Amino acid sequence: MSEDQKKQLEQQLWNIANTLRGKMDADEFRDYILGFIFYKYLSEKMLIYANEILEEDGITYQSIDESSTEGKEYLQAIHDEAINKLGYFLKPSELFSEVARRGNANAEDAQGEGQSNFILGDLTTILHNIEQSTMGTDSEDDFDNLFEDLDLTSTKLGRTESAKNELISKVLAHLDKIDFKLKDANADVLGDAYEYLIGQFASGAGKKAGEFYTPQQVSIVLAKIVATGKTKLKSVYDPTCGSGSLLLRVAKEVEQVSSFYGQELNRTTYNLARMNMILHDVHYRNFNIKQDDTLVHPQHLDQQFEAIVANPPFSAHWSASSLFMSDDRFSQYGKLAPSSKADFAFVQHMIHHLAENGTMAVVLPHGVLFRGAAEGHIRKFLVKDRNYLDAVIGLPGNIFYGTSIPTCILVFKKCRKVDDNILFIDASQHFGKVGNQNFLRTEDIENIINTFRDRSSSLKYSYTATLKDVEENDYNLNIPRYVDTFVEEDSIDIISISTKLQAIEAEIRDTDNVISGFCKDLGINTPF
């Protein structure tokens, strides 16, 4: 897909979003449009698969008479195959294109066909049927309540049922015109469209955006770090996975990821993550996304992962209950992260899940580098007792939606090839700007990754600190302690300045004499 085609697609999608804009908040109409995109994807995937099965019989899926005995036999056979292969099932009459056609048919034409152009009831039933089709199967957990945020009864869609129906029908008609090219194995049109919309909603949703989205440039940096030296990954895990974009980004940096794992607290965002996986053609057996509080109710406790990436909520509150001191994730440290700042609690959780040959990259607020008390104790334990910290990367401020605080990336490895030093990179002054938002440019990303992989020291940008250096700084990881970013001011020529001041004084005296003369001629007192 060319850049021009991609821009055209993005414009089409944003035009659809504008149909709903104004009626509800950005994060609310996000749920509708992304839900309908997902429904369209499932329908097209179902149609392609069913037609492949029926090819030998010389018929198409949409030509099957659902009410006939033969038609029912066909549907049952296809149902069994689809549940195993796709994880769900849709009848021909339940396909997106058919519902969109009915919703936008002229009222008289629809009645002539013995149908109504009122589709809200049918649409609600169809979305429920998709979830029901997976009951008792291996894919049940991945489809359970997946469309629960698509409330077609909401008054925000319109005051009357007719108005709601008209709006939804219009959105479906717009989407129906877009070809997502699912038959093209090299095209990820739908996935790219989904990512685009998530990003657009994030930029418009302000503070709420942090719940489900990591800026793409930051995702790229994290993904490239954990993929360094790897062509295949057995597993990748994100304990605060949001919409799943970060997990999927890692997959773009290697030839293959066997399994994706994630956990997300927010129910709506959890649904987005599952949709995002399926939309990117990740088979339901190859991802395991759970919904719950990661620190309180971890869902993957007995597993370790080759790659871990995360952008946890900055300085979130947690209970820090003494009961956690008997939890294997925290017990060895002797201290818990403070209740007002869970940053290191997430780090400890992730370290627990990191495989011996794995790499972990996590975005955190700058405070984790230098705050004392329990956090200082945990930081010292990770560096001195475990020697897990591999790199510290300072990022520019104002690159995350909804917050301007400076952030950093910490990289951890349990078995480090270079175990006698820690790399510090100060990328905080290298960024582009769009409006009030900062972003990492391609050259900024490349500079970070190349420096990380080469472990090179560069004047005012990076420094490879020995463990002794860190010890001498009392395990304070504040980047300016290691990367000298001081810029000398230009030297001042005192003699030259003095000469100029004398000349100015002389000019002032001459001017005063002229003014004094004018005042004398006018017969008035001088102002000095």
Side-chain angles (χ1 to χ4, degrees):
M1 190 179 194
S2 69
E3 280 302 311
D4 285 343
Q5 287 174 315
K6 192 172 180 180
K7 286 179 181 177
Q8 287 175 12
L9 172 66
E10 290 173 353
Q11 186 59 53
Q12 284 177 300
L13 289 167
W14 197 240
N15 288 341
I16 296 169
N18 278 330
T19 303
L20 290 167
R21 194 200 289 271
K23 297 180 182 295
M24 58 192 77
D25 293 336
D27 58 321
E28 290 177 309
F29 72 75
R30 172 199 75 197
D31 301 334
Y32 286 95
I33 191 166
L34 295 181
F36 287 135
I37 287 177
F38 185 59
Y39 169 40
K40 176 179 168 68
Y41 169 85
L42 295 180
S43 294
E44 294 190 4
K45 200 80 172 173
M46 180 72 225
L47 181 61
I48 290 169
Y49 183 63
N51 281 336
E52 287 175 356
I53 294 174
L54 295 168
E55 189 174 3
E56 290 183 6
D57 295 343
I59 61 173
T60 63
Y61 194 48
Q62 289 168 304
S63 69
I64 292 177
D65 180 359
E66 296 179 22
S67 61
S68 70
T69 302
E70 184 183 34
K72 290 176 181 177
E73 290 175 356
Y74 269 121
L75 290 181
Q76 185 58 51
I78 293 170
H79 170 275
D80 296 344
E81 293 285 339
I83 289 296
N84 182 56
K85 176 71 174 179
L86 305 178
Y88 65 94
F89 174 73
L90 279 164
K91 293 186 290 188
S93 60
E94 296 176 329
L95 296 175
F96 181 97
S97 56
E98 175 59 21
V99 176
R101 184 192 66 78
R102 290 205 308 271
N104 289 278
N106 179 284
E108 292 182 5
D109 291 343
Q111 288 175 359
E113 296 176 9
Q115 298 176 329
S116 166
N117 65 353
F118 186 80
I119 59 170
L120 288 187
D122 288 346
L123 194 50
T124 301
T125 301
I126 290 168
L127 298 180
H128 179 68
N129 287 347
I130 293 173
E131 297 172 359
Q132 287 296 112
S133 72
T134 70
M135 294 294 285
T137 71
D138 292 342
S139 62
E140 180 179 352
D141 288 346
D142 299 317
F143 284 84
D144 181 43
N145 291 316
L146 205 48
F147 293 100
E148 65 184 348
D149 295 305
L150 218 59
D151 182 8
L152 301 181
T153 65
S154 173
T155 54
K156 291 181 179 180
L157 295 172
R159 287 190 297 174
T160 65
E161 293 302 293
S162 177
K164 295 174 193 173
N165 189 75
E166 183 180 348
L167 181 65
I168 294 301
S169 296
K170 195 181 295 184
V171 172
L172 296 188
H174 280 305
L175 278 175
D176 198 38
K177 293 173 185 175
I178 300 175
D179 180 6
F180 287 125
K181 303 182 187 297
L182 294 190
K183 290 184 179 179
D184 184 350
N186 295 317
D188 191 17
V189 178
L190 194 49
D192 288 344
Y194 204 74
E195 291 291 305
Y196 165 76
L197 283 172
I198 289 175
Q200 288 297 315
F201 290 128
S203 61
K207 200 169 185 179
K208 276 192 171 182
E211 293 177 3
F212 65 94
Y213 190 70
T214 302
Q216 191 178 51
Q217 298 82 13
V218 178
S219 294
I220 292 171
V221 173
L222 294 171
K224 285 183 179 293
I225 286 172
V226 298
T228 296
K230 306 283 179 80
T231 56
K232 295 180 180 179
L233 289 168
K234 290 181 181 178
S235 58
V236 58
Y237 170 62
D238 184 345
T240 56
C241 69
S243 63
S245 301
L246 189 45
L247 288 169
L248 291 164
R249 184 70 236 182
V250 174
K252 292 185 178 182
E253 298 300 330
V254 292
E255 294 172 9
Q256 180 187 348
V257 173
S258 298
S259 300
F260 298 83
Y261 296 84
Q263 188 166 338
E264 172 57 35
L265 176 61
N266 182 284
R267 182 73 189 184
T268 297
T269 314
Y270 160 68
N271 289 337
L272 269 182
R274 291 187 294 164
M275 289 183 189
N276 210 2
M277 287 287 146
I278 296 168
L279 279 166
H280 282 82
D281 215 24
V282 179
H283 195 276
Y284 69 86
R285 291 193 183 96
N286 295 336
F287 72 86
N288 185 317
I289 309 291
K290 299 293 185 181
Q291 191 252 323
D292 215 324
D293 187 315
T294 299
L295 296 179
V296 180
H297 300 293
Q299 298 294 301
H300 304 93
L301 261 187
D302 298 327
Q303 294 170 274
Q304 289 193 312
F305 308 102
E306 190 174 357
I308 300 180
V309 286
N311 172 26
F314 300 150
S315 300
H317 288 251
W318 75 306
S319 71
S321 166
S322 59
L323 294 174
F324 282 114
M325 288 307 297
S326 61
D327 188 316
D328 288 344
R329 295 174 295 166
F330 310 108
S331 58
Q332 61 185 306
Y333 295 84
K335 295 273 187 179
L336 292 173
S339 59
S340 61
K341 295 177 180 66
D343 304 307
F344 268 113
F346 282 109
V347 170
Q348 290 168 308
H349 169 88
M350 294 162 70
I351 290 285
H352 177 78
H353 284 290
L354 184 64
E356 291 299 316
N357 66 334
T359 303
M360 164 184 149
V362 55
V363 181
L364 296 165
H366 252 228
V368 301
L369 302 178
F370 52 80
R371 291 193 297 248
E375 291 180 292
H377 176 88
I378 295 169
R379 193 168 56 240
K380 181 178 179 179
F381 183 86
L382 288 168
V383 176
K384 181 182 179 182
D385 294 81
R386 286 292 181 263
N387 194 14
Y388 287 164
L389 183 63
D390 193 60
V392 178
I393 303 168
L395 297 175
N398 204 33
I399 58 173
F400 286 86
Y401 299 114
T403 179
S404 60
I405 67 170
T407 54
C408 63
I409 296 173
L410 297 188
V411 182
F412 294 92
K413 296 179 181 179
K414 287 185 175 177
C415 293
R416 301 203 295 138
K417 290 182 180 178
V418 184
D419 61 2
D420 63 347
N421 63 54
I422 298 169
L423 175 66
F424 288 82
I425 299 175
D426 183 1
S428 62
Q429 302 305 311
H430 303 265
F431 57 88
K433 200 174 186 70
V434 175
N436 295 324
Q437 200 74 39
N438 297 335
F439 70 97
L440 292 173
R441 299 162 298 190
T442 301
E443 59 265 34
D444 301 326
I445 295 171
E446 289 176 353
N447 207 9
I448 291 171
I449 298 305
N450 290 338
T451 303
F452 172 75
R453 290 175 176 171
D454 296 341
R455 298 191 77 80
S456 57
S457 293
S458 177
L459 185 64
K460 301 190 184 305
Y461 185 75
S462 63
Y463 179 72
T464 306
T466 64
L467 296 180
K468 184 69 175 174
D469 291 335
V470 178
E471 182 185 0
E472 289 174 354
N473 277 291
D474 198 23
Y475 300 95
N476 183 318
L477 304 176
N478 203 15
I479 297 172
R481 287 177 176 248
Y482 305 92
V483 181
D484 181 12
T485 57
F486 178 74
V487 178
E488 287 189 10
E489 295 182 4
D490 294 335
S491 59
I492 298 173
D493 187 341
I494 298 296
I495 295 175
S496 174
I497 294 296
S498 178
T499 302
K500 288 179 181 178
L501 286 173
Q502 290 173 359
I504 291 170
E505 285 289 339
E507 288 180 11
I508 290 172
R509 285 195 299 271
D510 291 341
T511 302
D512 286 349
N513 289 334
V514 171
I515 293 173
S516 179
F518 288 149
C519 290
K520 186 176 181 180
D521 292 341
L522 295 171
I524 60 175
N525 294 327
T526 60
F528 42 79

